[in-house]
Amino acid sequence: MDHTYVRLEEAKAEAQPTQQQPLSWRRRGRQLGLTTLAAVCVTAITVFFCGACPEGLQRLVLAKNDGPVAFQPPTIPLLMLDPYFQVHMMAEKATDDVTRGWYSDMREMQGMIRVDGTSYRFLGACTVNSDDCPAPMEQVSVDIGTVRTDFVFHDPQGRVELRVTYMGTPYTDDEELFARPVGYVVHDVESLDGNDHDVQLYLDASAEHATFEADDVVEWDGWEQSGLKGIRVGTVAQQFLHRHGDKVNLDWGFLHLAAQPSAVDSEHKDAEGTHQPLTIVRGGGALDNRADFISTGHVSRTPDQGNPRPCGEGAEEDKTIISVSQDMQTVNEAKRHVVLVAYDDVYAVKYYGHKLKGFWREKYNSIQEAMGDAIKETDAMMAKGAAHDASEVEKLTKAGGAEYAAVTRIAYRQTMAALKLVWNEDLGTTWMFLKEISTNGDMNTVDVVYPASPALLYHNPMLLQKLLVPMLSFANNETSMEYSKPFSPHELGVYPVADHGTKAQEPMPMENTGNMFFMILAILQRSQDHAWVEPYYPMLKTWADYLNSTLPFPEHQLCTDDFRGPLGNNTNLAAKGIVALEAFAEICHTLDRADCAAYSTAAVHHAEVWTALARETVPMPHTRLAYGDEGSFSIVYNLLWQRLLQLGAKPFANYDDLAAEEVRFYLSIANAYGTPMDSRDHMVKTDWLSWAAAMAEEKADFERLFHGIFRFFNESTVRVPLSDFYNTVTAGPILHGFRDRPVIGALYAKMLLHSTEGEAK
Ligand SMILES: *[C@@H]1O[C@H](CO)[C@@H](O)[C@H](O)[C@H]1NC(C)=O
Ligand SMILES: *[C@@H]1O[C@H](CO)[C@@H](O)[C@H](O)[C@H]1NC(C)=O
Ligand SMILES: *[C@@H]1O[C@H](CO)[C@@H](O)[C@H](O)[C@H]1NC(C)=O
Ligand SMILES: *[C@@H]1O[C@H](CO)[C@@H](O)[C@H](O)[C@H]1NC(C)=O
């Protein structure tokens, strides 16, 4: 996690409902006084949030396969292409707010439809001139899947239905699709009343997606290639990878929008007989552009003269956008219009001095080529997306119930979007990088990869291997920076720049060494390819010896829950170290090395000591927070890995009884929003609670323990992407960080058990 752990009291004091500070405080704070900022926010909230309140809450029916579950997730994910390009609607309806990035910063996309001369919004809220702001379309439903988000709208007079699908391609079985940074916005329009209607569509995206500061100067260019008419916007400066950090956007590379012109586009004439293409792209100021569409049904063909210009930002500024307008002409039967949204970052990450490109660049010479393939595959991708969503929901529901499925389908997209698949030219292979979103933005943080790992182990273990190798390579002194500790490093750097050596690390000796052993063994168990780990075996053995030497009494040290500060003799941490020693013995066997059994013997011995010191029987059997700490408790989710790794009765001979007693205890102390992490307060981590729940043998007990997580997401009023840290009594507020983190991939641990052990009961 982040470098400076916060004391919980301070962190609580900091915790504010985050939606109330929405208007890009990051940049605007520099230009406006705080009072002005507050005034801007209040106006925005009054106009755009409460405008929708009297209609009441709209329920999102998400899990359809096991009887519908009414679930309203905190945000509606729209397009989530990679750690930078992430667009959410942080409201109940697509027209209640502007679109935003993961930390609630404005990342505008606005969509409008014009029906028989009247314009309506279907995406985004107006930030200026609310008198001229088109009325919203009526949102009939929204369905959020693993890769698709589908809206259905009707115009207020009931003339047309507009269905809009926002979709990416994060398919774990296809590296090219996984890495292709092209999203779809698919519009399907048809008449509702049987009459013909005159329909035009408009979509724009602001240069905020391609800039960091409001005064970054951007330029735009139209293009025609691969059968597409497109436009891009990006900074003039184009300083690749010159920045890293958490609440920091990339200000290099280009945002693209493109559509496929219809066959008649080049001949089409308007009433006066002048050539009027049906598809027009345009860059420039948002105000004129949107106003032109509202009055004429298309954006102007006269270029905006202000190219280049600053990005601009905020409610009252005329920010720079790129847009596509499409004349659908007469609509009766369903007609489709597709806009592709793509981000060409040119260079994705820097690894100890080497600039690495996104893997998609291996296949495509340009983003236009990638978009050309994407447009051809529209129908196939729509079908693939629907099939993926349906099959995932069915499997999730079967293993963990409808509430589990409702949350986990959203967790899928959040996990995959924090990953970046790149091409390592020197090695001729793909590598993966992860951004620890919202808690310092660290790169490939081992104790963040660990909770995220079940999602990858379940879908494609080799994607996890590609995430571990850059870390193993650094730890083994293969980079320009030395690493001198006898245990696993914590991070490579701050995304997207890997440049940390020994000194920059936040040491978590037992935590991260244990994590690495778990993940390496889990990959080896799922693949015939063991060669990749051979070069690292001597180093791993050093780490195992270190683990053994500090067990069974873990020293005063940080573990992953670093926001608590260091703790000696932490039972959950000790359980990790002990199970990890057994995992190392298995790695040793798998690689046919000598003296493996000695590690297993040591692990079993440590487990006996643990059982004698960690357990308490009053009021019912459970585990203490630290050895000898009477009256305390802790959930011991790390134990689950003995079962995830199918280690049988080692190192904890009584694992089954232990797990059963723990689950009984967790159920007995559950609050409205779940079981707290330990006896210090009511807080819990979503990822750890989902593992505690997965320790339950009976599906019904899993569902009871997971219910708190479901309720938290369903009832929390803090609109941020799925959080993994909250109060089990009040459902919030959460800490200002801990949102949109890939650790939410932890929810797939239940699926791992289900797939390796067959049907749950
Ligand atoms: C989710 O919350 C809403 C209230 O906001 C409630 O009506 C609905 O029943 C909840 N869903 C479940 C499954 O409890
Ligand atoms: C890497 O180099 C440092 C400094 O020489 C050394 O202490 C460390 O043991 C080396 N690590 C490995 C895995 O060889
Ligand atoms: C851990 O517990 C052991 C045994 O009770 C004790 O000797 C040791 O000092 C404790 N270590 C820490 C860091 O509290
Ligand atoms: C593990 O540590 C114990 C001392 O706690 C020692 O007796 C044993 O030999 C060690 N095992 C290995 C494999 O190094």
Side-chain angles (χ1 to χ4, degrees):
M1 280 180 200
D2 55 312
H3 286 265
T4 43
Y5 67 84
V6 245
R7 296 217 154 275
L8 206 59
E9 291 70 16
E10 290 166 17
K12 274 181 183 161
E14 250 188 285
Q16 299 294 332
T18 37
Q19 186 62 39
Q20 265 61 20
Q21 40 166 262
L23 294 178
S24 300
W25 49 270
R26 158 175 59 87
R27 301 181 223 181
R28 296 214 62 82
R30 300 184 323 157
Q31 297 164 13
L32 301 172
L34 279 180
T35 329
T36 325
L37 179 60
V40 170
C41 299
V42 168
T43 315
I45 288 156
T46 315
V47 176
F48 303 115
F49 297 149
C50 292
C53 297
E55 292 163 42
L57 296 181
Q58 177 157 344
R59 301 268 65 90
L60 312 179
V61 177
L62 288 182
K64 290 170 175 158
N65 294 16
D66 199 22
V69 165
F71 177 52
Q72 182 183 297
T75 74
I76 304 172
L78 300 173
L79 292 173
M80 298 180 73
L81 303 183
D82 80 356
Y84 285 121
F85 195 94
Q86 305 206 357
V87 185
H88 288 263
M89 176 49 59
M90 297 185 169
E92 288 163 31
K93 293 184 181 171
T95 49
D96 282 354
D97 189 17
V98 294
T99 58
R100 296 178 187 276
W102 63 263
Y103 60 98
S104 308
D105 55 321
M106 267 194 183
R107 297 283 183 94
E108 271 208 77
M109 288 186 69
Q110 184 150 324
M112 291 187 276
I113 181 171
R114 197 165 178 267
V115 184
D116 300 332
T118 308
S119 296
Y120 304 94
R121 275 176 295 126
F122 64 84
L123 179 65
C126 302
T127 48
V128 267
N129 279 345
S130 27
D131 289 350
D132 305 334
C133 182
M137 289 287 272
E138 283 169 9
Q139 185 172 311
V140 178
S141 66
V142 54
D143 188 5
I144 307 172
T146 53
V147 301
R148 285 175 61 153
T149 300
D150 291 272
F151 290 92
V152 178
F153 303 96
H154 292 168
D155 75 283
Q157 296 179 40
R159 290 165 296 178
V160 298
E161 176 168 291
L162 168 66
R163 296 184 293 278
V164 187
T165 299
Y166 301 86
M167 180 175 69
T169 57
Y171 297 110
T172 49
D173 59 352
D174 185 329
E175 290 197 342
E176 283 175 5
L177 285 178
F178 190 90
R180 192 165 78 189
V182 182
Y184 293 82
V185 183
V186 178
H187 312 73
D188 290 302
V189 200
E190 72 181 286
S191 175
L192 271 180
D193 59 10
N195 298 324
D196 288 352
H197 296 287
D198 184 34
V199 174
Q200 292 83 35
L201 289 165
Y202 169 93
L203 188 73
D204 71 34
S206 76
E208 288 159 316
H209 298 278
T211 54
F212 176 53
E213 312 260 53
D215 43 19
D216 283 344
V217 175
V218 296
E219 60 187 343
W220 61 88
D221 292 295
W223 52 265
E224 284 187 44
Q225 203 182 313
S226 312
L228 291 166
K229 203 182 246 189
I231 183 164
R232 72 171 197 182
V233 67
T235 57
V236 171
Q238 291 297 322
Q239 293 175 272
F240 301 110
L241 300 162
H242 73 127
R243 244 183 235 299
H244 60 262
D246 190 18
K247 292 176 181 170
V248 160
N249 195 32
L250 81 181
D251 52 9
W252 59 87
F254 299 91
L255 170 73
H256 290 252
L257 290 184
Q260 194 167 32
S262 61
V264 297
D265 205 46
S266 52
E267 293 100 55
H268 187 66
K269 298 207 172 17
D270 66 13
E272 282 80 48
T274 39
H275 175 227
Q276 180 64 50
L278 300 178
T279 309
I280 310 178
V281 297
R282 189 170 188 271
L287 297 184
D288 279 356
N289 223 58
R290 292 170 185 171
D292 280 348
F293 176 79
I294 293 166
S295 59
T296 66
H298 59 84
V299 296
S300 169
R301 294 183 62 208
T302 313
D304 186 313
Q305 293 307 319
N307 193 8
R309 74 203 283 281
C311 170
E313 178 166 16
E316 73 285 10
E317 272 179 50
D318 184 20
K319 67 183 80 164
T320 308
I321 49 115
I322 51 175
S323 64
V324 182
S325 71
Q326 178 76 28
D327 190 349
M328 304 292 281
Q329 302 178 286
T330 304
V331 170
N332 197 318
E333 307 274 285
K335 274 191 181 176
R336 173 168 287 185
H337 165 58
V338 183
V339 178
L340 297 177
V341 183
Y343 204 93
D344 176 7
D345 55 11
V346 186
Y347 288 99
V349 301
K350 201 192 251 181
Y351 182 78
Y352 296 96
H354 299 271
K355 286 185 193 157
L356 304 177
K357 292 178 176 176
F359 174 55
W360 65 275
R361 279 249 163 187
E362 243 328 85
K363 174 165 180 186
Y364 299 108
N365 291 314
S366 67
I367 193 80
Q368 284 85 354
E369 274 185 22
M371 294 171 88
D373 266 10
I375 199 79
K376 280 183 229 141
E377 293 164 5
T378 302
D379 291 348
M381 287 301 131
M382 287 291 274
K384 189 175 170 73
H388 190 268
D389 286 352
S391 118
E392 196 82 355
V393 168
E394 190 188 335
K395 289 180 208 156
L396 291 166
T397 308
K398 204 164 175 187
E403 295 186 349
Y404 170 67
V407 175
T408 306
R409 63 196 298 187
I410 300 178
Y412 178 91
R413 208 180 323 185
Q414 180 165 314
T415 309
M416 301 309 163
L419 302 172
K420 187 82 186 178
L421 195 64
V422 308
W423 181 243
N424 183 323
E425 203 159 329
D426 295 339
L427 300 178
T429 184
T430 45
W431 268 10
M432 185 86 97
F433 290 93
L434 165 146
K435 181 177 178 190
E436 185 186 334
I437 293 174
S438 88
T439 43
N440 208 51
D442 285 4
M443 196 163 173
N444 292 34
T445 323
V446 176
D447 64 306
V448 171
V449 177
Y450 168 61
S453 68
L456 295 175
L457 288 170
Y458 177 69
H459 291 103
N460 180 357
M462 292 321 279
L463 291 182
L464 179 61
Q465 185 257 12
K466 289 165 196 294
L467 201 44
L468 298 191
V469 170
M471 177 57 78
L472 288 166
S473 177
F474 158 65
N476 202 35
N477 288 337
E478 292 164 19
T479 72
S480 55
M481 295 293 276
E482 245 168 31
Y483 182 69
S484 58
K485 298 287 183 189
F487 49 78
S488 168
H490 173 265
E491 88 272 342
L492 291 174
V494 177
Y495 193 89
V497 179
D499 62 354
H500 283 182
T502 311
K503 263 210 202 104
Q505 298 291 319
E506 179 186 5
M508 294 184 190
M510 188 165 293
E511 173 73 49
N512 284 328
T513 305
N515 295 343
M516 286 300 259
F517 288 170
F518 287 168
M519 294 189 284
I520 289 169
L521 178 59
I523 298 165
L524 292 176
Q525 288 175 336
R526 289 166 174 77
S527 150
Q528 298 303 311
D529 175 13
H530 300 160
W532 61 275
V533 76
E534 294 282 354
Y536 303 114
Y537 185 79
M539 174 179 76
L540 298 182
K541 188 167 184 307
T542 310
W543 294 1
D545 291 336
Y546 170 84
L547 264 195
N548 183 42
S549 73
T550 65
L551 282 168
F553 301 110
E555 286 158 10
H556 201 252
Q557 64 189 289
L558 285 180
C559 71
T560 183
D561 303 315
D562 56 0
F563 44 88
R564 302 279 202 196
L567 176 69
N569 283 331
N570 175 340
T571 54
N572 184 46
L573 183 64
K576 167 171 300 178
I578 294 164
V579 179
L581 212 49
E582 180 67 30
F584 176 77
E586 283 296 313
I587 294 171
C588 175
H589 279 303
T590 309
L591 300 181
D592 285 326
R593 301 296 166 120
D595 305 325
C596 306
Y599 291 93
S600 186
T601 308
V604 169
H605 165 74
H606 298 316
E608 284 161 9
V609 177
W610 187 96
T611 306
L613 297 176
R615 301 286 293 164
E616 183 152 318
T617 49
V618 181
M620 58 197 288
H622 66 271
T623 302
R624 293 168 174 163
L625 175 59
Y627 294 147
D629 185 359
E630 283 175 33
S632 66
F633 73 84
S634 171
I635 60 175
V636 274
Y637 57 83
N638 281 323
L639 275 181
L640 179 69
W641 282 78
Q642 177 166 334
R643 186 144 168 242
L644 286 175
L645 295 169
Q646 299 177 276
L647 298 175
K650 276 185 184 175
F652 289 92
N654 57 341
Y655 175 87
D656 289 348
D657 294 342
L658 205 52
E661 287 178 357
E662 285 294 311
V663 166
R664 223 172 293 138
F665 179 71
Y666 303 158
L667 283 167
S668 80
I669 58 162
N671 295 318
Y673 301 97
T675 305
M677 201 149 70
D678 57 53
S679 40
R680 286 175 285 193
D681 57 32
H682 299 313
M683 303 304 287
V684 79
K685 298 268 293 105
T686 314
D687 40 0
W688 308 148
L689 180 52
S690 79
W691 287 3
M695 285 166 73
E697 196 55 33
E698 304 288 333
K699 185 181 175 193
D701 287 343
F702 171 81
E703 290 183 280
R704 283 165 69 201
L705 284 170
F706 195 87
H707 181 62
I709 295 176
F710 173 85
R711 271 195 75 183
F712 162 62
F713 287 127
N714 192 38
E715 294 173 24
S716 170
T717 53
V718 184
R719 294 207 175 277
V720 296
L722 299 183
S723 169
D724 58 290
F725 194 34
Y726 68 90
N727 186 309
T728 57
V729 172
T730 64
I734 57 156
L735 297 183
H736 69 147
F738 293 88
R739 57 169 82 173
D740 199 33
R741 298 189 348 130
V743 302
I744 204 73
L747 269 52
Y748 275 94
K750 178 70 182 160
M751 300 307 292
L752 280 180
L753 291 173
H754 196 69
S755 60
T756 52
E757 299 180 3
E759 301 289 292
K761 286 175 199 164

